[in-house]
């Protein structure tokens, strides 16, 4: 990849190719000019989830507008691991936290699920998407997770793709330690999802219904009661470190 | 254990034995009376890090004072896993977050370390300790992590107990994926610590010095750049899930 130093990374919507000129939206322009205090001539990294990461130079910058000139590709596009997080929404700071950390940990989809004991009724998906964008820019991902609209648990299960294993993080009941479960799954790999409940846990009837489903594997996350956000992070960490993309480190950082 | 329902769990300093009467401090009294709105006759769980968890009944409660009567032991004392987190302090919300999550994940010691690029100069250890107390009450731990005063990196290394392996979470350089490193360590077990740097990472001279030390194992946490708080959590999750206490689930929750 190109080793020229970049001031920051930005996710943009536009197509990227050498020689393209790109105008940024007002908030990105404000961020570059008034927060980072960048000037014309400075190099940025830009990515759109399709074309890899490119170096772009600030051609001109004013109050509320920026024009970028795209130079050379720094990194080719790569796909994130196919890993979903299905989570019962929790209160504001903690849901932001889940979105940020799940992005850093490399999930491909964030699916809020409304369970019986979920006491958050509205999820601001625009806000979640903004959090994932910022986290992707910061953690050197080349794509964004797909942030889905909330869905009820029964509806989620009705439409679940049966080839995708659902790791049910359950606080109680008959569950295998997550490392053991993942070791077993390693023998018959396929796409994975981790699911965490609300602060009050899953209802007993929900757990009973989930346990009946052939694609569900109940897993335990140790002897303590983890908060919902901790459980989500811990489950994703185990998935990625044992079966995901943690075996490799990009060549440009070795 | 006793199955009588408890309204909440409280960490207290006093010794616990059947028949003891305990007065709580003003802030705990306020919490029980004005936040949880509990009344005389309600049962609580109480623990002090030494005597296990006991059921105690609110004998009398008033504005700013509570008297508890200790009944029977609910769980015998158990020691937490011997696992340290050494971390460069980060800004306020994220340091609270590290303390909360590390407590839930079962660390025995929280050691802030001041590195070259650490840009937080003061650590409020009382605040960190209060966060760990609240997290311990909530996650069903029977003890608190030991929150240490900050120490510089050179001083930390001078006084390091050489039998304790220090997993250095490094963003760059020659490092083994953490699962592989932990699999190797499993063959020659001993006490562990995980160490994470500040948002700017460790300085090259710090990394060079660390890599020379026989008790240091550099580990990588995957291809993305994790924030300091995410790295701390992820490393602790791997330690506990692979070598720690996640293989067991307490009998009272099976």
């Amino acid at each position: 990849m190109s080793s020229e130093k970049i001031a920051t990374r930005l996710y943009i919507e536009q197509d990227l190719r050498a020689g393209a000129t790109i105008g940024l939206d007002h908030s990105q322009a404000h961020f570059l000019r008034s927060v980072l205090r960048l000037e014309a001539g400075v190099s940025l990294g830009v990515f759109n989830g399709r074309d890899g990461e490119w170096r772009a130079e600030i051609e001109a910058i004013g109050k509320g507008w920026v024009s970028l000139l795209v130079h050379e590709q720094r990194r080719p596009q790569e796909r994130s691991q196919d890993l979903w997080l299905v989570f019962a929404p929790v209160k504001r700071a903690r849901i932001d936290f889940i979105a940020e950390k799940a992005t850093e940990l490399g999930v491909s989809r964030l699916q809020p699920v409304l369970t019986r004991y979920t006491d958050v009724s509205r999820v601001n998906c625009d806000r979640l998407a903004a959090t994932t964008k910022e986290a992707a820019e910061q953690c050197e991902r080349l794509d964004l997770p797909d942030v889905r609209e909330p869905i009820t648990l029964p509806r989620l299960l009705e439409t679940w793709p049966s080839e995708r294993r659902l790791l049910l993080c359950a606080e109680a009941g008959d569950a295998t330690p997550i490392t053991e479960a993942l070791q077993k799954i390693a023998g018959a790999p396929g796409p994975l999802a981790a699911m965490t409940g609300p602060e009050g846990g899953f209802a007993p009837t929900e757990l009973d219904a989930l346990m009946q489903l052939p694609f569900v594997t109940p897993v335990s996350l140790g002897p303590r009661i983890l908060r919902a956000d901790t459980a989500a992070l811990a489950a994703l960490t185990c998935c990625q470190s044992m079966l995901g993309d943690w075996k490799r480190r990009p060549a440009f950082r070795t």
Side-chain angles (χ1 to χ4, degrees), chain A residues 228-244:
Chain A
D229 52 351
T230 318
L233 285 205
L236 292 176
T237 296
C238 291
C239 291
Q240 288 288 46
S241 65
M242 291 186 62
L243 300 185

Side-chain angles (χ1 to χ4, degrees), chain A residues 13-189:
Chain A
E13 301 282 348
Q14 293 94 329
D15 288 338
L16 293 167
R17 54 179 176 71
T21 300
I22 290 174
L24 296 187
D25 67 30
H26 189 280
S27 70
Q28 287 177 314
H30 173 79
F31 176 68
L32 295 184
R33 186 169 185 266
S34 303
V35 181
L36 298 184
R37 303 193 174 278
L38 302 183
E39 296 176 351
V42 168
S43 286
L44 312 176
V46 289
F47 64 106
N48 60 11
R50 304 182 302 275
D51 299 324
E53 181 179 315
W54 292 70
R55 181 172 72 86
E57 187 188 331
I58 300 182
E59 214 176 26
I61 187 164
K63 194 168 178 179
W65 62 272
V66 174
S67 147
L68 297 180
L69 176 61
V70 179
H71 288 283
E72 73 282 357
Q73 198 186 44
R74 289 166 56 84
R75 289 163 62 193
Q77 187 63 34
E78 53 194 36
R79 282 180 75 91
S80 282
Q81 195 77 9
D82 179 2
L83 174 63
W84 296 1
L85 175 67
V86 180
F87 66 103
V90 286
K91 298 227 173 78
R92 178 159 164 165
R94 292 186 190 273
I95 199 173
D96 286 349
F97 174 80
I98 288 175
E100 176 184 296
K101 298 321 187 198
T103 303
E104 292 176 59
L105 293 169
V107 293
S108 54
R109 181 180 289 190
L110 277 167
Q111 174 66 66
V113 63
L114 305 173
T115 66
R116 187 114 175 242
Y117 297 157
T118 300
D119 62 358
V120 172
S121 55
R122 267 196 69 250
V123 177
N124 184 337
C125 288
D126 288 344
R127 188 184 159 87
L128 279 191
T131 302
T132 63
K133 188 159 86 71
E134 200 177 309
E137 288 170 347
Q138 180 269 329
C139 78
E140 303 193 357
R141 271 180 78 137
L142 290 176
D143 59 2
L144 304 187
D146 179 18
V147 177
R148 293 300 179 109
E149 291 290 328
I151 187 174
T152 64
L153 181 58
R155 181 80 189 124
L156 176 86
L157 298 176
E158 268 168 42
T159 56
W160 190 262
S162 61
E163 76 286 359
R164 183 176 296 269
R165 186 133 299 275
L166 181 58
L167 298 176
L168 166 64
C169 303
E171 284 171 356
D174 189 17
T176 315
I178 190 167
T179 50
E180 275 177 43
L182 288 169
Q183 275 156 5
K184 269 181 221 159
I185 288 169

Side-chain angles (χ1 to χ4, degrees), chain A residues 205-232:
Chain A
T205 51
E206 289 174 331
L207 283 176
D208 288 346
L210 282 161
M211 302 285 197
Q212 305 298 318
L213 296 168
F215 54 78
V216 168
T217 300
V219 295
S220 71
L221 299 171
R224 288 165 295 280
I225 297 281
L226 303 184
R227 277 188 182 273
D229 52 351
T230 318

